[in-house]
Amino acid sequence: MSILFTHAYYLSDDPKEQKIMKPYPPLGLLYVSAYLKSKKLDNLVFDTTFTSQDEQLQYILNEQPKIICIYTNLMTKIEVIKLIKIVKTTSFGFPKIILGGPDVSYNIENYLKSGADFLVIGEGEETTHELCDAVLQNKEFSTINGIAFLENNSVIQTPSRKKFKELDELPLPNREAINMQIYLDTWKKNHGQSSMTISTQRGCPYTCKWCSTAVYGQSYRRRPAEQVAAEMKMLKEKYHPDAIWFVDDVFTVSHKWLLNFKEEVVKQEALIPFECITRAERLNDEILAILKEIGCFRIWIGAESGSQKIIDLMDRRVDVNVVKEAIQKTNKLGIETGTFIMLGYPGETEKDIMETIHYLKEANPTHYTITIAYPIKGTSLYNEIESKITNAPDWETSTDRDIDFKRTYSRKFYDYAVSKVVNEVEFYKKRNSNITQAIKHKTKAFLASGLMILNR
Ligand code: B12
Ligand code: SF4
């Protein structure tokens, strides 16, 4: 086979995820593979999640593909580059390397100089099809929109490709090409229930400064509700998942779509319990009732901070009280809630961190995650802090997560701030039910406060 799709995420190399054990297949790559297949460009998919790089290399050695298309994101980048350097040799037949995915758009020169032959910028389906066809037929490729390549060591970037308008024309992700069962079994073994992903939406119309819009831009396009329900019905019959995660940026952004979706899942008997991410101001009593009715068991509602000042600095365009109320209302309905917190955003002070603790106590989400803010290339946040970068390690062997910049306090301060937030919130939750545990958390929070002072 001439074309191989692969990625470079190896679960066995990810101790953090080995504790979480909620793996999902690379959906975007499966979308592109399916599109090529629908255009009669047969291709193979080698899914690395449950394999090692050695097994992947052996596979490539056996298949000797002419083109290797690799999904690249911020975290898998280092492994992708290692992979390129190994396969661009005689024993692998010098395949052409095409990279796509969210990390390539703003790191064009670096990826090309690391050995990639072509980058597919933005949505992958049409561009990868035209590019693979040109490479295999030895046709001119410089007229293809949405790509980048090197010519005489200079970067050539062709005009951007128009976004795919009619999402219903896209074939479903090529899930048959990979071993879906191993994902389902891993979930079942670790959590008692299995889960799969579905994408119904492309793009997000909002402007949060730290968020990467490298693939879909500030667009909003939606698949017809009827087609999404049909996909759920198919997954239900073929894979029997216990749950679905809609990987959409703002699942309830369109209330009209959600009403249609409700009708369709009921009509097509396609209901599968699901979780989704949305924004607080796109929820109201009616929408929450609909979500509950159609099997939504968890809603992730972003706030990122309990301080309105920080939310505004992020250009998140939401009122912290609206987020708090949305979480409280969702809890009351018996739907689990989750929220994301970011510490160390430029401009954040201790007062803002205290407001975040207060917000978490009052909102009381079932789950929350805390990230120390980092600048993804191409985001407004990156552009804002670029002149304040204090640590930018070698590009090929580090990720954007390793970039540090001058913040209000030292980097160490924020590690202790995370501990303070977690322990204050745990103290608050346990103060009336488990006094021993509560005291333990209060002591840890006290210690963290001391270390924050020392590391200011
Ligand atoms: C689901 C998801 C996850 C899941 C991944 C599970 C999985 N295997 O799918 C989990 C929760 C594990 C996750 C983790 C992380 N994620 Co994430 N995630 C997403 C999310 C919400 C959806 C991805 C998706 O399926 N989209 C739908 C598909 C259809 O779109 P797509 O993947 O972009 O594919 C299109 C193109 O990229 C391209 N394409 C895709 N693959 C390929 C391959 C080739 C060869 C080609 C040519 C083209 C191509 O064509 C596709 C179709 O047009 C996106 C946001 C988003 N809306 O996309 C963030 C997103 C991808 N994640 C992001 C980040 C930062 C992370 C983390 C680093 C977060 C963290 N701090 O830990 C980790 C990294 C994990 C890891 N080790 O890789 C960023 C990526 C930024 C970047 N520059 O890389 C995004 C864009 C979020 C954001 N807006 O900032 N994530
Ligand atoms: S954080 Fe969510 S709402 Fe904000 S721009 Fe990104 S996807 Fe859109």
Side-chain angles (χ1 to χ4, degrees), residues 395-408:
W395 185 83
E396 283 196 3
T397 50
S398 70
T399 75
D400 289 355
R401 292 192 63 154
D402 304 312
I403 298 175
D404 207 4
F405 57 93
K406 186 150 179 24
R407 304 174 197 249
T408 315

PDB file of all heavy atoms in Angstrom, residues 395-408:
ATOM      1  N   TRP A 395      13.645  23.603  20.323  1.00  0.00           N
ATOM      2  CA  TRP A 395      12.307  23.344  19.770  1.00  0.00           C
ATOM      3  C   TRP A 395      12.036  21.848  19.526  1.00  0.00           C
ATOM      4  O   TRP A 395      10.968  21.342  19.850  1.00  0.00           O
ATOM      5  CB  TRP A 395      12.108  24.146  18.466  1.00  0.00           C
ATOM      6  CG  TRP A 395      10.712  23.989  17.953  1.00  0.00           C
ATOM      7  CD1 TRP A 395       9.615  24.691  18.365  1.00  0.00           C
ATOM      8  CD2 TRP A 395      10.247  23.041  16.990  1.00  0.00           C
ATOM      9  NE1 TRP A 395       8.498  24.246  17.711  1.00  0.00           N
ATOM     10  CE2 TRP A 395       8.852  23.231  16.865  1.00  0.00           C
ATOM     11  CE3 TRP A 395      10.864  22.050  16.227  1.00  0.00           C
ATOM     12  CZ2 TRP A 395       8.067  22.466  15.992  1.00  0.00           C
ATOM     13  CZ3 TRP A 395      10.092  21.288  15.369  1.00  0.00           C
ATOM     14  CH2 TRP A 395       8.705  21.502  15.256  1.00  0.00           C
ATOM     15  N   GLU A 396      13.021  21.159  18.955  1.00  0.00           N
ATOM     16  CA  GLU A 396      12.784  19.753  18.567  1.00  0.00           C
ATOM     17  C   GLU A 396      12.564  18.832  19.753  1.00  0.00           C
ATOM     18  O   GLU A 396      11.941  17.786  19.625  1.00  0.00           O
ATOM     19  CB  GLU A 396      13.974  19.230  17.746  1.00  0.00           C
ATOM     20  CG  GLU A 396      13.963  19.724  16.325  1.00  0.00           C
ATOM     21  CD  GLU A 396      14.885  18.927  15.413  1.00  0.00           C
ATOM     22  OE1 GLU A 396      15.505  17.947  15.861  1.00  0.00           O
ATOM     23  OE2 GLU A 396      14.974  19.297  14.234  1.00  0.00           O
ATOM     24  N   THR A 397      13.121  19.198  20.900  1.00  0.00           N
ATOM     25  CA  THR A 397      13.056  18.269  22.024  1.00  0.00           C
ATOM     26  C   THR A 397      12.217  18.793  23.187  1.00  0.00           C
ATOM     27  O   THR A 397      12.278  18.278  24.302  1.00  0.00           O
ATOM     28  CB  THR A 397      14.482  17.946  22.523  1.00  0.00           C
ATOM     29  OG1 THR A 397      15.164  19.200  22.707  1.00  0.00           O
ATOM     30  CG2 THR A 397      15.250  17.092  21.537  1.00  0.00           C
ATOM     31  N   SER A 398      11.437  19.834  22.928  1.00  0.00           N
ATOM     32  CA  SER A 398      10.561  20.343  23.993  1.00  0.00           C
ATOM     33  C   SER A 398       9.200  20.680  23.376  1.00  0.00           C
ATOM     34  O   SER A 398       9.048  20.641  22.157  1.00  0.00           O
ATOM     35  CB  SER A 398      11.165  21.605  24.614  1.00  0.00           C
ATOM     36  OG  SER A 398      11.107  22.665  23.680  1.00  0.00           O
ATOM     37  N   THR A 399       8.224  20.998  24.224  1.00  0.00           N
ATOM     38  CA  THR A 399       6.912  21.381  23.694  1.00  0.00           C
ATOM     39  C   THR A 399       6.567  22.776  24.193  1.00  0.00           C
ATOM     40  O   THR A 399       7.257  23.312  25.069  1.00  0.00           O
ATOM     41  CB  THR A 399       5.795  20.415  24.169  1.00  0.00           C
ATOM     42  OG1 THR A 399       5.520  20.707  25.535  1.00  0.00           O
ATOM     43  CG2 THR A 399       6.189  18.963  24.013  1.00  0.00           C
ATOM     44  N   ASP A 400       5.468  23.322  23.700  1.00  0.00           N
ATOM     45  CA  ASP A 400       5.043  24.660  24.150  1.00  0.00           C
ATOM     46  C   ASP A 400       4.785  24.665  25.665  1.00  0.00           C
ATOM     47  O   ASP A 400       4.826  25.720  26.292  1.00  0.00           O
ATOM     48  CB  ASP A 400       3.762  25.096  23.419  1.00  0.00           C
ATOM     49  CG  ASP A 400       4.035  25.428  21.956  1.00  0.00           C
ATOM     50  OD1 ASP A 400       5.212  25.410  21.553  1.00  0.00           O
ATOM     51  OD2 ASP A 400       3.061  25.685  21.216  1.00  0.00           O
ATOM     52  N   ARG A 401       4.518  23.480  26.214  1.00  0.00           N
ATOM     53  CA  ARG A 401       4.274  23.419  27.665  1.00  0.00           C
ATOM     54  C   ARG A 401       5.520  23.768  28.455  1.00  0.00           C
ATOM     55  O   ARG A 401       5.454  24.121  29.621  1.00  0.00           O
ATOM     56  CB  ARG A 401       3.802  22.019  28.070  1.00  0.00           C
ATOM     57  CG  ARG A 401       2.434  21.700  27.534  1.00  0.00           C
ATOM     58  CD  ARG A 401       1.886  20.463  28.165  1.00  0.00           C
ATOM     59  NE  ARG A 401       1.711  20.659  29.600  1.00  0.00           N
ATOM     60  CZ  ARG A 401       0.842  19.997  30.332  1.00  0.00           C
ATOM     61  NH1 ARG A 401       0.064  19.104  29.796  1.00  0.00           N
ATOM     62  NH2 ARG A 401       0.746  20.210  31.624  1.00  0.00           N
ATOM     63  N   ASP A 402       6.688  23.626  27.813  1.00  0.00           N
ATOM     64  CA  ASP A 402       7.950  23.908  28.511  1.00  0.00           C
ATOM     65  C   ASP A 402       8.366  25.373  28.411  1.00  0.00           C
ATOM     66  O   ASP A 402       9.342  25.789  29.026  1.00  0.00           O
ATOM     67  CB  ASP A 402       9.080  23.028  27.938  1.00  0.00           C
ATOM     68  CG  ASP A 402       8.722  21.560  28.019  1.00  0.00           C
ATOM     69  OD1 ASP A 402       8.286  21.140  29.105  1.00  0.00           O
ATOM     70  OD2 ASP A 402       8.838  20.842  27.009  1.00  0.00           O
ATOM     71  N   ILE A 403       7.638  26.140  27.601  1.00  0.00           N
ATOM     72  CA  ILE A 403       7.991  27.568  27.476  1.00  0.00           C
ATOM     73  C   ILE A 403       7.544  28.275  28.748  1.00  0.00           C
ATOM     74  O   ILE A 403       6.410  28.106  29.190  1.00  0.00           O
ATOM     75  CB  ILE A 403       7.265  28.216  26.267  1.00  0.00           C
ATOM     76  CG1 ILE A 403       7.684  27.542  24.963  1.00  0.00           C
ATOM     77  CG2 ILE A 403       7.532  29.722  26.211  1.00  0.00           C
ATOM     78  CD1 ILE A 403       6.922  28.049  23.749  1.00  0.00           C
ATOM     79  N   ASP A 404       8.438  29.043  29.336  1.00  0.00           N
ATOM     80  CA  ASP A 404       8.001  29.822  30.503  1.00  0.00           C
ATOM     81  C   ASP A 404       8.205  31.311  30.228  1.00  0.00           C
ATOM     82  O   ASP A 404       9.016  31.690  29.386  1.00  0.00           O
ATOM     83  CB  ASP A 404       8.728  29.389  31.774  1.00  0.00           C
ATOM     84  CG  ASP A 404       7.857  29.675  32.995  1.00  0.00           C
ATOM     85  OD1 ASP A 404       6.701  30.121  32.820  1.00  0.00           O
ATOM     86  OD2 ASP A 404       8.330  29.471  34.125  1.00  0.00           O
ATOM     87  N   PHE A 405       7.435  32.101  30.925  1.00  0.00           N
ATOM     88  CA  PHE A 405       7.508  33.547  30.708  1.00  0.00           C
ATOM     89  C   PHE A 405       7.408  34.259  32.050  1.00  0.00           C
ATOM     90  O   PHE A 405       7.059  33.628  33.057  1.00  0.00           O
ATOM     91  CB  PHE A 405       6.382  33.991  29.761  1.00  0.00           C
ATOM     92  CG  PHE A 405       5.005  33.630  30.237  1.00  0.00           C
ATOM     93  CD1 PHE A 405       4.256  34.527  30.985  1.00  0.00           C
ATOM     94  CD2 PHE A 405       4.450  32.383  29.949  1.00  0.00           C
ATOM     95  CE1 PHE A 405       2.988  34.198  31.429  1.00  0.00           C
ATOM     96  CE2 PHE A 405       3.174  32.045  30.395  1.00  0.00           C
ATOM     97  CZ  PHE A 405       2.452  32.954  31.142  1.00  0.00           C
ATOM     98  N   LYS A 406       7.739  35.524  32.064  1.00  0.00           N
ATOM     99  CA  LYS A 406       7.730  36.274  33.321  1.00  0.00           C
ATOM    100  C   LYS A 406       6.289  36.427  33.801  1.00  0.00           C
ATOM    101  O   LYS A 406       5.462  37.065  33.152  1.00  0.00           O
ATOM    102  CB  LYS A 406       8.395  37.644  33.111  1.00  0.00           C
ATOM    103  CG  LYS A 406       8.548  38.388  34.401  1.00  0.00           C
ATOM    104  CD  LYS A 406       9.740  39.306  34.428  1.00  0.00           C
ATOM    105  CE  LYS A 406       9.844  40.070  35.742  1.00  0.00           C
ATOM    106  NZ  LYS A 406       9.206  39.483  36.900  1.00  0.00           N
ATOM    107  N   ARG A 407       6.013  35.773  34.931  1.00  0.00           N
ATOM    108  CA  ARG A 407       4.656  35.857  35.490  1.00  0.00           C
ATOM    109  C   ARG A 407       4.703  36.738  36.732  1.00  0.00           C
ATOM    110  O   ARG A 407       5.761  37.219  37.123  1.00  0.00           O
ATOM    111  CB  ARG A 407       4.178  34.453  35.886  1.00  0.00           C
ATOM    112  CG  ARG A 407       4.225  33.447  34.749  1.00  0.00           C
ATOM    113  CD  ARG A 407       3.870  32.054  35.256  1.00  0.00           C
ATOM    114  NE  ARG A 407       4.278  31.025  34.306  1.00  0.00           N
ATOM    115  CZ  ARG A 407       3.456  30.281  33.587  1.00  0.00           C
ATOM    116  NH1 ARG A 407       2.152  30.430  33.714  1.00  0.00           N
ATOM    117  NH2 ARG A 407       3.917  29.361  32.771  1.00  0.00           N
ATOM    118  N   THR A 408       3.541  36.895  37.392  1.00  0.00           N
ATOM    119  CA  THR A 408       3.503  37.721  38.599  1.00  0.00           C
ATOM    120  C   THR A 408       4.460  37.153  39.652  1.00  0.00           C
ATOM    121  O   THR A 408       5.148  37.883  40.349  1.00  0.00           O
ATOM    122  CB  THR A 408       2.064  37.756  39.164  1.00  0.00           C
ATOM    123  OG1 THR A 408       1.166  37.963  38.081  1.00  0.00           O
ATOM    124  CG2 THR A 408       1.896  38.855  40.195  1.00  0.00           C
TER     125      THR A 408
END
